Amino acid sequence: MKLGIIGAGAVGATAAYAIALQGQVREIVLVDRNAALARAHAEDISHAMPFGSATQVRAGTAADLAGAGIVIVAAGVGQKPGESRLDLLARNAEVFRAVLGECMAAAPDALLLIASNPVDVMTGITQRLTGLPPGRVIGSGTVLDTARFRDLLARHLGLSPRSVHAYVLGEHGDSEVLAWSSARVGSLTLDAAADQLGRPLTDAVRAGIDEAVRRAAYRIIEGKGATWFGIGGGLARLVEALADDDHSVQSVSVMTPSVAGVSGVPLSLPRVLGAQGVLSELVPMLSEAETEALAQSARLLKDTLEAVPLAPL
């Protein structure tokens, strides 16, 4: 499969590197308005391929996306220290209008994987601009937040993160919902596993994990200006799921007909991914408080999306 990546900044380049090393696609084309940056990243990543895979990595223009099965959109302006993801909306919406027109002209059949922040709203904007079926416009959503949640739970329990099944729902941002009540370790509830392992999840532990997940991006941005390794790995996993048609469950964002009493909203839920995009969704059992928090997150995202006047491309 041929993969296109629009935007060769930190996120796009790191995703290209992670995907190429794992050999998930035959070819990666990096496209950026800064052509020299795209060429430099493509050459640098290519030099790592003798140690990893046979994936070919090159720079190109939007026209070179022709034939791509998946296009990652990581274009846009970066998040500033202290800036919320939603503050990015007005600046990135205009970038997308230009980018998507070129992308759809070259690769009209591609699945679109959106990575630019605020990712949920940008996913909704992309779907509205292109008119594509919602299942073909997939935001990275809370795939990274979910990874953070699992990592911190696993650290507390002394387990591998791969043995922890927990999801973050809603917005990839301040209103996200950590679904504690549906989290599982093996076949056990989270509390039962924690008790058996002698590592109970006290209120203080839960509050610490919640804060660490919710504020992770802000801490990383304060320290180094942006996040890229975590989301690069997350995008690589999503490309694997789509390219391999593996029907795995991932917490991604798509335009959702109805959730928690809110209709027509882009947000993350656990969803089954395959070669055609999002195949179905699996809404976890939630507590009353979690359901209300998800509804609040959904209302926030819907109100923000609807405040942006858009016409199709």
Side-chain angles (χ1 to χ4, degrees):
M1 175 183 286
K2 180 177 180 179
L3 170 75
I5 299 180
I6 301 176
V11 170
T14 305
Y17 179 62
I19 294 164
L21 274 182
Q22 295 181 23
Q24 294 163 352
V25 297
R26 170 182 53 83
E27 179 184 5
I28 298 174
V29 179
L30 284 172
V31 178
D32 196 280
R33 61 192 301 177
N34 183 343
L37 176 66
R39 287 195 300 270
H41 277 312
E43 183 175 3
D44 196 13
I45 295 169
S46 292
H47 295 164
M49 291 307 95
F51 308 111
S53 78
T55 298
Q56 296 181 349
V57 184
R58 65 184 178 94
T61 65
D64 294 308
L65 298 174
I70 302 170
V71 174
I72 295 174
V73 184
V77 292
Q79 187 174 13
K80 299 176 181 178
E83 182 181 38
S84 74
R85 290 179 177 86
L86 295 179
D87 290 337
L88 289 171
L89 176 59
R91 295 191 291 149
N92 273 333
E94 287 306 311
V95 173
F96 265 49
R97 176 171 287 280
V99 163
L100 291 170
E102 295 178 340
C103 174
M104 295 307 298
D109 298 324
L111 299 175
L112 300 183
L113 184 50
I114 311 303
S116 304
N117 278 320
V119 68
D120 304 292
V121 180
M122 298 313 299
T123 299
I125 286 173
T126 300
Q127 195 275 323
R128 289 188 173 184
L129 285 173
T130 62
L132 291 172
R136 286 183 54 196
V137 180
I138 305 164
S140 57
T142 59
V143 68
L144 178 54
D145 309 272
T146 290
R148 291 166 174 162
F149 189 23
R150 293 178 179 181
D151 178 64
L152 289 166
L153 285 172
R155 287 172 183 262
H156 175 74
L157 297 171
L159 300 173
S160 163
R162 294 187 177 186
S163 295
V164 178
H165 309 286
Y167 292 93
V168 177
L169 315 176
E171 180 199 3
H172 171 54
D174 298 338
S175 71
E176 64 190 22
V177 180
L178 278 65
W180 290 93
S181 61
S182 62
R184 295 290 184 272
V185 177
S187 62
L188 298 176
T189 66
L190 190 57
D191 284 332
D195 289 343
Q196 287 191 30
L197 292 167
R199 302 189 181 193
L201 286 158
T202 64
D203 290 343
V205 169
R206 288 173 180 259
I209 291 175
D210 184 283
E211 192 278 339
V213 172
R214 202 176 297 277
R215 302 295 299 176
Y218 294 103
R219 290 192 305 275
I220 295 169
I221 290 168
E222 183 178 357
K224 67 174 192 175
T227 66
W228 55 79
F229 291 121
I231 188 56
L235 290 168
R237 179 65 186 97
L238 297 181
V239 168
E240 179 184 31
L242 297 169
D244 290 352
D245 194 25
D246 72 4
H247 289 220
S248 62
V249 178
Q250 308 292 336
S251 53
V252 294
S253 182
V254 301
M255 282 294 290
T256 307
S258 180
V259 60
V262 181
S263 61
V265 57
L267 50 61
S268 285
L269 291 171
R271 293 186 162 99
V272 180
L273 297 188
Q276 302 305 310
V278 171
L279 306 179
S280 58
E281 65 186 32
L282 300 170
V283 182
M285 299 295 292
L286 301 175
S287 68
E288 184 176 341
E290 290 166 345
T291 299
E292 177 53 34
L294 182 58
Q296 291 178 4
S297 185
R299 286 192 291 268
L300 170 66
L301 289 168
K302 180 175 182 176
D303 290 347
T304 305
L305 176 61
E306 292 187 345
V308 183
L310 291 173
L313 292 173

